[in-house]
Amino acid sequence: MAEKARVTESRKVWTTLITNTKYLSGLLTLDYSLKKQGSKYPLVALYTDAFPAEGHAALEARGIPKQRIEYLLPSKGKDYSNDPRFYDCWSKLTPFSLVEYERVVQLDSDMLVLQNMDELMEMELDGPELGGKGKRVFAAGHACVCNPLKKPHYPKDWVPENCAFTSQHSSPEIAQTTGPDPAVGPLGFMNGGLQVVNPSKTVYDLILAHMESEAAIDMDFADQSLLSDLFRGCWVPLPYIYNALKTLRWENVHAEIWRDDKVKNMHYILAPKPWDEMDEEGKNISKDPTHAWWVDFNNERLALEKKNGIMADGF
């Protein structure tokens, strides 16, 4: 794997995948939120060939660096017709291949940074020389396996008693600073929304080989399933505050551990997204109070762009 030229001077970057314009407002507001919180590191948009010209123009108008990547998809993958979003998720494995950077923190475009989290750029992980054989291959937050919406196509063992976050209900203060040990439940499943990675050709080759194995047909959650399976017991669990899945805040899910003032990075998983719940004037109409947080940031961004002479483009 030849080292490519970096699209930014920094050797440590945030990245986010973008394949279409449906998530573009999310990406732009994510970038704004990182800058608002004073991050020292740039966000790089990882785009695939399907990303349209108007999307490129929007990124260029705002000075957001972008880098082309290949669209990843296993040749014998699972049918995700019940959840088509997972087809795109395989490409979120790409940061492991970006060896032109020392550290990559992959973020989903439906995230909002509420506090500076540059410490993720400095946390200790295995070096590339270990080739995926150490105990700190990458860092991530846990998936919530409670299935609060009772989606019928989710695995039958996705129930609250198997969820790592349930183990912290009696110690909410610890939950703000420490991720549950993956061994506390039988699944040990990570969420792919935020991944802290030291890129490595050897690790990426392991990932590609596993993606093309017969195991791919049973990977219900694409990249998340692959990483949880391939590196079981070898990833660093982060506290929920770095990948604060919006459903954790709900009553009867994990409200016991949630603290609004501790959350560093909000993750608007599932539909609808905050940008789907705005009126024609850009005001929040969602009943979810966390959606109002995103709308406020988005409106701040749009006002600043107008002040700076960036032409309104609908994103």
Side-chain angles (χ1 to χ4, degrees), residues 41-162:
Y41 306 99
L43 176 70
V44 175
L46 302 179
Y47 69 90
T48 60
D49 288 341
F51 190 55
E54 61 268 27
H56 285 279
L59 295 177
E60 290 162 5
R62 293 160 177 86
I64 298 174
K66 55 192 173 82
Q67 183 165 338
R68 180 189 174 276
I69 63 168
E70 296 289 342
Y71 188 79
L72 288 182
L73 202 62
S75 55
K76 301 176 182 177
K78 189 177 180 68
D79 176 8
Y80 294 119
S81 54
N82 283 323
D83 238 336
R85 61 196 168 105
F86 286 115
Y87 288 116
D88 282 356
C89 285
W90 292 104
S91 297
K92 292 198 295 183
L93 295 166
T94 296
F96 286 90
S97 75
L98 301 179
V99 294
E100 60 269 32
Y101 303 103
E102 294 175 8
R103 171 65 54 89
V104 174
V105 182
Q106 168 76 11
L107 304 172
D108 276 359
S109 294
D110 57 353
M111 287 180 157
L112 183 72
V113 179
L114 299 172
Q115 297 184 42
N116 186 290
M117 54 181 189
D118 280 1
E119 63 270 17
L120 295 180
M121 295 293 182
E122 306 298 335
M123 70 175 294
E124 181 185 354
L125 292 177
D126 294 338
E129 68 279 0
L130 291 184
K133 303 302 182 185
K135 291 295 185 181
R136 301 177 69 89
V137 179
F138 65 92
H142 281 275
C144 173
V145 302
C146 293
N147 190 16
L149 297 180
K150 302 294 186 285
K151 294 197 171 193
H153 59 282
Y154 275 26
K156 300 302 182 189
D157 57 1
W158 275 48
V159 292
E161 52 266 37
N162 287 341

Side-chain angles (χ1 to χ4, degrees), residues 5-300:
R6 298 191 306 278
V7 297
T8 180
E9 289 185 6
S10 179
R11 287 191 169 273
K12 296 180 179 182
V13 294
W14 312 99
T15 61
T16 193
L17 173 69
I18 190 77
T19 62
N20 56 61
T21 58
K22 288 190 296 184
Y23 277 67
L24 187 51
S25 292
L27 185 156
L28 300 179
T29 301
L30 171 63
D31 179 71
Y32 171 75
S33 70
L34 281 164
K35 291 171 178 172
K36 179 175 179 174
Q37 306 308 342
S39 177
K40 297 187 297 184
Y41 306 99
L43 176 70
V44 175
L46 302 179
Y47 69 90
T48 60
D49 288 341
F51 190 55
E54 61 268 27
H56 285 279
L59 295 177
E60 290 162 5
R62 293 160 177 86
I64 298 174
K66 55 192 173 82
Q67 183 165 338
R68 180 189 174 276
I69 63 168
E70 296 289 342
Y71 188 79
L72 288 182
L73 202 62
S75 55
K76 301 176 182 177
K78 189 177 180 68
D79 176 8
Y80 294 119
S81 54
N82 283 323
D83 238 336
R85 61 196 168 105
F86 286 115
Y87 288 116
D88 282 356
C89 285
W90 292 104
S91 297
K92 292 198 295 183
L93 295 166
T94 296
F96 286 90
S97 75
L98 301 179
V99 294
E100 60 269 32
Y101 303 103
E102 294 175 8
R103 171 65 54 89
V104 174
V105 182
Q106 168 76 11
L107 304 172
D108 276 359
S109 294
D110 57 353
M111 287 180 157
L112 183 72
V113 179
L114 299 172
Q115 297 184 42
N116 186 290
M117 54 181 189
D118 280 1
E119 63 270 17
L120 295 180
M121 295 293 182
E122 306 298 335
M123 70 175 294
E124 181 185 354
L125 292 177
D126 294 338
E129 68 279 0
L130 291 184
K133 303 302 182 185
K135 291 295 185 181
R136 301 177 69 89
V137 179
F138 65 92
H142 281 275
C144 173
V145 302
C146 293
N147 190 16
L149 297 180
K150 302 294 186 285
K151 294 197 171 193
H153 59 282
Y154 275 26
K156 300 302 182 189
D157 57 1
W158 275 48
V159 292
E161 52 266 37
N162 287 341
C163 189
F165 294 119
T166 302
S167 71
Q168 294 191 314
H169 283 194
S170 61
S171 54
E173 295 312 310
I174 293 175
Q176 312 310 312
T177 58
T178 305
D181 187 327
V184 298
L187 303 181
F189 209 84
M190 52 79 72
N191 179 277
L194 181 147
Q195 302 167 35
V196 186
V197 173
N198 285 342
S200 160
K201 179 184 185 303
T202 305
V203 171
Y204 190 60
D205 286 346
L206 289 173
I207 288 170
L208 291 182
H210 202 55
M211 189 178 78
E212 290 302 330
S213 72
E214 295 296 329
I217 198 68
D218 294 318
M219 293 182 187
D220 291 316
F221 300 97
D223 61 315
Q224 302 177 146
S225 297
L226 185 149
L227 293 174
S228 299
D229 181 42
L230 182 59
F231 299 111
R232 184 170 299 277
C234 297
W235 56 278
V236 181
L238 296 172
Y240 84 94
I241 62 170
Y242 291 106
N243 185 1
L245 313 173
K246 74 175 182 183
T247 54
L248 301 188
R249 193 178 187 271
W250 296 357
E251 290 297 325
N252 302 314
V253 184
H254 299 296
E256 289 87 346
I257 68 171
W258 186 283
R259 302 290 184 270
D260 284 353
D261 63 335
K262 299 295 185 182
V263 169
K264 290 200 166 194
N265 182 37
M266 186 74 199
H267 189 181
Y268 294 100
I269 60 170
L270 307 175
K273 303 299 183 187
W275 52 87
D276 297 324
E277 296 194 310
M278 298 190 299
D279 63 19
E280 293 181 357
E281 296 179 351
K283 295 179 180 178
N284 175 57
I285 57 173
S286 175
K287 294 180 180 178
D288 186 332
T290 69
H291 282 212
W293 304 347
W294 186 92
V295 172
D296 287 346
F297 271 67
N298 187 60
N299 286 332
E300 284 180 17

